[in-house]
Amino acid sequence: WDLFKDWNKEGNTMRKITNLALLLAHLITNFSVSLSVLKVVEFDNLEENAVVFFYSLFRKIFAAKDATLVSVFERIGHSLDLEDLRDGIWYFFHRYLLVKSSAEAKSKEVKMKKKIERAHLRQRMKLATKAMGHKGK
């Protein structure tokens, strides 16, 4: 959990950060750990390495089956103590996950694939947001 305190610590390569995110996603989607471990994170003030970590984490969680995804987010939906966490996750979803690519020199096929990916991601985000009981400010 020290990673949450010092994202730019020497030795924290992108590969290490991504692998840790995938490990945590595995633990979360297998119900060994709850998303509540993220309650110490300030999602509105993330360093670049942290954005990579949480982007990888949530993308992997979104790849889970619907029932798993819903259960993962419902686990943080009922506690008043986790309202800040729910707000932070919602903020992260809208600030970092739905960002359109700035590259313009793409073929129509690539643009269509990206559009489909964003639509799927938006659907998964809505499912997660509903499951955690966030109203969407």
Side-chain angles (χ1 to χ4, degrees):
W1 307 125
D2 291 339
L3 180 64
F4 295 155
K5 297 175 188 166
D6 188 10
W7 292 101
N8 292 318
K9 181 180 174 184
E10 190 175 326
N12 283 345
T13 63
M14 285 296 166
R15 182 180 190 138
K16 180 179 178 181
I17 288 170
T18 302
N19 285 339
L20 287 171
L22 297 177
L23 172 64
L24 183 57
H26 174 79
L27 294 172
I28 289 170
T29 56
N30 285 286
F31 307 105
S32 298
V33 174
S34 169
L35 278 173
S36 64
V37 299
L38 304 179
K39 65 184 171 187
V40 299
V41 176
E42 294 179 29
F43 285 97
D44 59 344
N45 189 25
L46 294 176
E47 299 174 26
E48 182 182 352
N49 288 346
V51 172
V52 170
F53 178 88
F54 291 112
Y55 183 88
S56 301
L57 174 75
F58 289 120
R59 289 295 299 250
K60 186 66 174 177
I61 291 171
F62 286 167
K65 294 179 180 179
D66 286 358
T68 301
L69 177 67
V70 168
S71 294
V72 161
F73 284 92
E74 278 181 342
R75 290 177 79 186
I76 63 166
H78 303 294
S79 174
L80 293 176
D81 295 340
L82 299 176
E83 185 173 1
D84 288 342
L85 173 60
R86 292 187 296 272
D87 289 346
I89 289 172
W90 184 88
Y91 174 81
F92 184 86
F93 286 173
H94 290 83
R95 171 70 172 94
Y96 297 105
L97 288 181
L98 282 182
V99 177
K100 289 186 178 181
S101 174
S102 60
E104 292 183 26
K106 293 181 182 174
S107 69
K108 286 185 178 184
E109 183 180 334
V110 171
K111 286 181 182 180
M112 184 56 72
K113 278 185 176 181
K114 291 291 183 185
K115 189 174 184 177
I116 291 169
E117 284 177 21
R118 274 196 310 277
H120 178 71
L121 189 58
R122 193 175 296 112
Q123 182 267 337
R124 304 304 279 170
M125 287 172 43
K126 284 181 181 179
L127 189 60
T129 300
K130 183 178 178 183
M132 69 179 167
H134 195 275
K135 305 294 184 230
K137 298 176 183 174

